[in-house]
Amino acid sequence: MSSRGWLESYERIKRSLHSKRSTGAGFSANDVSSFDSQLRDLEQQLTAMEGRPTDYSLTNAELVRRKTLVSNLRKQLVAVQSGSQSTLSMAAHSDQALVQRQRDVMSLQDDMINDIEKGVDRLHDQARVIHDEARLHVGLLDQIDTDVENATTGLREEAKHAEAIREKSQTCAFYICIVVELVVLVLLLVFGFS
């Protein structure tokens, strides 16, 4: 039997069992025996599939899932055999198990939320540190900008001062040249008249 054929057989047995239970009619010994026989066939086929899972393209997880499906059908059949009192007892146990499972899931979710909260707190702390550093850097950049402007202004003033000195030094050289020429002229006049 193929993997798909097994699933089709399972679904057929499941539908048949559920429809028989939903009608409210009692199960005869023959009905119980027939369902038991069909479930044993499914279990035998599943055992064969476990021996060669690659031939049926089945993973271990799928095999476990199928075992669980058959086990649940068998439990339903046992509940039908045991009668309504046993069914109520199993339903109460099932409800308790469901409540416990829900509590476990909620506890796991609470743990996950706590972990997320811790992560968010760490991110918040890091964001604060980054914000403080960024504010400090902005202040430093503003100070650098002010210092650069002051230095630029100082350089312009010094450049003007240097230009004035240069102009004065050129004028001074002209004055020295004029004085030297006057001295030479006076000497020429003095020697020329003597």
Side-chain angles (χ1 to χ4, degrees):
M1 172 176 282
S2 70
S3 175
R4 179 173 291 229
W6 187 93
L7 283 174
E8 289 170 357
S9 295
Y10 166 78
E11 288 296 328
R12 183 178 36 78
I13 295 168
K14 178 181 163 186
R15 277 193 308 273
S16 177
L17 181 62
H18 284 246
S19 67
K20 182 78 171 170
R21 287 181 69 192
S22 65
T23 61
F27 279 72
S28 66
N30 287 338
D31 290 337
V32 171
S33 176
S34 172
F35 281 118
D36 186 54
S37 173
Q38 292 175 21
L39 286 175
R40 267 190 269 121
D41 287 345
L42 280 180
E43 288 169 337
Q44 288 173 354
Q45 293 167 4
L46 190 58
T47 302
M49 288 178 187
E50 282 181 308
R52 299 183 321 252
T54 54
D55 292 350
Y56 296 97
S57 301
L58 294 174
T59 63
N60 286 335
E62 178 63 16
L63 288 169
V64 169
R65 185 184 79 83
R66 289 183 182 200
K67 280 182 181 180
T68 304
L69 292 174
V70 172
S71 173
N72 288 340
L73 275 182
R74 181 151 308 278
K75 287 177 185 175
Q76 290 176 19
L77 185 60
V78 168
V80 167
Q81 283 177 313
S82 300
S84 61
Q85 186 66 0
S86 184
T87 302
L88 291 175
S89 172
M90 284 181 66
H93 178 69
S94 176
D95 287 345
Q96 289 173 352
L98 178 62
V99 168
Q100 182 59 40
R101 195 169 341 138
Q102 287 174 340
R103 285 183 184 147
D104 292 344
V105 167
M106 287 174 57
S107 175
L108 180 63
Q109 288 174 346
D110 287 344
D111 292 343
M112 292 170 120
I113 288 171
N114 288 337
D115 289 345
I116 290 171
E117 179 185 13
K118 289 176 186 174
V120 168
D121 287 344
R122 282 193 304 270
L123 284 175
H124 178 71
D125 292 342
Q126 289 176 352
R128 276 189 158 162
V129 168
I130 290 170
H131 174 72
D132 292 343
E133 285 184 16
R135 204 169 354 147
L136 175 68
H137 289 187
V138 166
L140 290 173
L141 289 173
D142 288 343
Q143 183 63 39
I144 288 173
D145 190 36
T146 303
D147 291 346
V148 167
E149 285 180 24
N150 291 340
T152 302
T153 304
L155 283 173
R156 284 188 186 132
E157 289 176 7
E158 289 301 319
K160 286 179 185 176
H161 185 358
E163 183 63 27
I165 290 175
R166 187 181 62 81
E167 286 177 5
K168 283 183 183 178
S169 67
Q170 286 178 352
T171 307
C172 184
F174 289 135
Y175 288 136
I176 292 173
C177 286
I178 291 172
V179 170
V180 170
E181 286 178 356
L182 281 174
V183 171
V184 170
L185 184 62
V186 169
L187 285 177
L188 282 175
L189 285 174
V190 171
F191 287 121
F193 288 116
S194 41

mmCIF file of all heavy atoms in Angstrom, residues 82-98:
data_model
loop_
_atom_site.group_PDB
_atom_site.id
_atom_site.type_symbol
_atom_site.label_atom_id
_atom_site.label_comp_id
_atom_site.label_asym_id
_atom_site.label_seq_id
_atom_site.Cartn_x
_atom_site.Cartn_y
_atom_site.Cartn_z
ATOM 1 N N SER A 82 -16.191 1.037 26.190
ATOM 2 C CA SER A 82 -16.336 1.184 27.644
ATOM 3 C C SER A 82 -17.683 1.753 28.036
ATOM 4 O O SER A 82 -18.080 1.658 29.182
ATOM 5 C CB SER A 82 -15.234 2.075 28.191
ATOM 6 O OG SER A 82 -13.991 1.501 27.916
ATOM 7 N N GLY A 83 -18.353 2.389 27.133
ATOM 8 C CA GLY A 83 -19.670 2.948 27.439
ATOM 9 C C GLY A 83 -19.575 4.423 27.732
ATOM 10 O O GLY A 83 -18.516 5.032 27.745
ATOM 11 N N SER A 84 -20.705 4.990 28.000
ATOM 12 C CA SER A 84 -20.790 6.436 28.151
ATOM 13 C C SER A 84 -20.083 6.916 29.403
ATOM 14 O O SER A 84 -19.508 8.001 29.417
ATOM 15 C CB SER A 84 -22.253 6.875 28.180
ATOM 16 O OG SER A 84 -22.919 6.275 29.282
ATOM 17 N N GLN A 85 -20.097 6.169 30.500
ATOM 18 C CA GLN A 85 -19.440 6.599 31.737
ATOM 19 C C GLN A 85 -17.946 6.744 31.503
ATOM 20 O O GLN A 85 -17.336 7.717 31.920
ATOM 21 C CB GLN A 85 -19.709 5.595 32.865
ATOM 22 C CG GLN A 85 -19.185 6.017 34.210
ATOM 23 C CD GLN A 85 -19.911 7.254 34.742
ATOM 24 O OE1 GLN A 85 -20.799 7.799 34.099
ATOM 25 N NE2 GLN A 85 -19.498 7.716 35.887
ATOM 26 N N SER A 86 -17.389 5.780 30.838
ATOM 27 C CA SER A 86 -15.964 5.825 30.537
ATOM 28 C C SER A 86 -15.661 6.990 29.595
ATOM 29 O O SER A 86 -14.635 7.638 29.711
ATOM 30 C CB SER A 86 -15.538 4.497 29.913
ATOM 31 O OG SER A 86 -14.164 4.490 29.710
ATOM 32 N N THR A 87 -16.579 7.254 28.674
ATOM 33 C CA THR A 87 -16.392 8.357 27.732
ATOM 34 C C THR A 87 -16.364 9.677 28.472
ATOM 35 O O THR A 87 -15.525 10.543 28.200
ATOM 36 C CB THR A 87 -17.529 8.361 26.687
ATOM 37 O OG1 THR A 87 -17.543 7.114 26.025
ATOM 38 C CG2 THR A 87 -17.333 9.475 25.683
ATOM 39 N N LEU A 88 -17.277 9.830 29.427
ATOM 40 C CA LEU A 88 -17.305 11.067 30.203
ATOM 41 C C LEU A 88 -16.019 11.222 31.010
ATOM 42 O O LEU A 88 -15.472 12.316 31.126
ATOM 43 C CB LEU A 88 -18.519 11.091 31.130
ATOM 44 C CG LEU A 88 -19.879 11.224 30.448
ATOM 45 C CD1 LEU A 88 -20.996 11.102 31.469
ATOM 46 C CD2 LEU A 88 -19.964 12.546 29.705
ATOM 47 N N SER A 89 -15.533 10.119 31.571
ATOM 48 C CA SER A 89 -14.306 10.160 32.350
ATOM 49 C C SER A 89 -13.129 10.577 31.470
ATOM 50 O O SER A 89 -12.308 11.399 31.865
ATOM 51 C CB SER A 89 -14.046 8.795 32.970
ATOM 52 O OG SER A 89 -12.785 8.773 33.569
ATOM 53 N N MET A 90 -13.056 9.999 30.264
ATOM 54 C CA MET A 90 -11.967 10.350 29.344
ATOM 55 C C MET A 90 -12.093 11.800 28.897
ATOM 56 O O MET A 90 -11.094 12.503 28.756
ATOM 57 C CB MET A 90 -11.977 9.422 28.123
ATOM 58 C CG MET A 90 -11.433 8.039 28.425
ATOM 59 S SD MET A 90 -11.427 7.000 26.980
ATOM 60 C CE MET A 90 -10.244 7.798 25.974
ATOM 61 N N ALA A 91 -13.328 12.270 28.695
ATOM 62 C CA ALA A 91 -13.534 13.657 28.284
ATOM 63 C C ALA A 91 -13.058 14.596 29.387
ATOM 64 O O ALA A 91 -12.417 15.617 29.117
ATOM 65 C CB ALA A 91 -14.999 13.900 27.960
ATOM 66 N N ALA A 92 -13.383 14.248 30.660
ATOM 67 C CA ALA A 92 -12.940 15.081 31.778
ATOM 68 C C ALA A 92 -11.408 15.079 31.854
ATOM 69 O O ALA A 92 -10.784 16.126 32.056
ATOM 70 C CB ALA A 92 -13.537 14.579 33.081
ATOM 71 N N HIS A 93 -10.821 13.869 31.687
ATOM 72 C CA HIS A 93 -9.352 13.777 31.700
ATOM 73 C C HIS A 93 -8.772 14.567 30.529
ATOM 74 O O HIS A 93 -7.764 15.262 30.674
ATOM 75 C CB HIS A 93 -8.931 12.311 31.636
ATOM 76 C CG HIS A 93 -7.447 12.133 31.588
ATOM 77 N ND1 HIS A 93 -6.632 12.430 32.661
ATOM 78 C CD2 HIS A 93 -6.633 11.724 30.584
ATOM 79 C CE1 HIS A 93 -5.370 12.199 32.320
ATOM 80 N NE2 HIS A 93 -5.351 11.769 31.062
ATOM 81 N N SER A 94 -9.427 14.442 29.385
ATOM 82 C CA SER A 94 -8.967 15.160 28.199
ATOM 83 C C SER A 94 -9.055 16.665 28.436
ATOM 84 O O SER A 94 -8.167 17.409 28.039
ATOM 85 C CB SER A 94 -9.801 14.758 26.987
ATOM 86 O OG SER A 94 -9.425 15.494 25.867
ATOM 87 N N ASP A 95 -10.156 17.109 29.104
ATOM 88 C CA ASP A 95 -10.302 18.529 29.406
ATOM 89 C C ASP A 95 -9.201 18.995 30.358
ATOM 90 O O ASP A 95 -8.626 20.069 30.181
ATOM 91 C CB ASP A 95 -11.673 18.820 30.025
ATOM 92 C CG ASP A 95 -12.798 18.743 29.009
ATOM 93 O OD1 ASP A 95 -12.487 18.756 27.794
ATOM 94 O OD2 ASP A 95 -13.967 18.660 29.428
ATOM 95 N N GLN A 96 -8.881 18.175 31.345
ATOM 96 C CA GLN A 96 -7.812 18.532 32.281
ATOM 97 C C GLN A 96 -6.472 18.607 31.552
ATOM 98 O O GLN A 96 -5.676 19.513 31.799
ATOM 99 C CB GLN A 96 -7.735 17.508 33.416
ATOM 100 C CG GLN A 96 -8.890 17.583 34.384
ATOM 101 C CD GLN A 96 -8.851 16.442 35.397
ATOM 102 O OE1 GLN A 96 -8.048 15.523 35.272
ATOM 103 N NE2 GLN A 96 -9.732 16.522 36.389
ATOM 104 N N ALA A 97 -6.251 17.667 30.676
ATOM 105 C CA ALA A 97 -5.001 17.674 29.906
ATOM 106 C C ALA A 97 -4.935 18.915 29.011
ATOM 107 O O ALA A 97 -3.874 19.535 28.871
ATOM 108 C CB ALA A 97 -4.880 16.413 29.064
ATOM 109 N N LEU A 98 -6.077 19.268 28.437
ATOM 110 C CA LEU A 98 -6.128 20.447 27.575
ATOM 111 C C LEU A 98 -5.849 21.708 28.386
ATOM 112 O O LEU A 98 -5.069 22.567 27.962
ATOM 113 C CB LEU A 98 -7.495 20.554 26.882
ATOM 114 C CG LEU A 98 -7.702 21.763 25.981
ATOM 115 C CD1 LEU A 98 -6.707 21.722 24.821
ATOM 116 C CD2 LEU A 98 -9.129 21.795 25.453
#
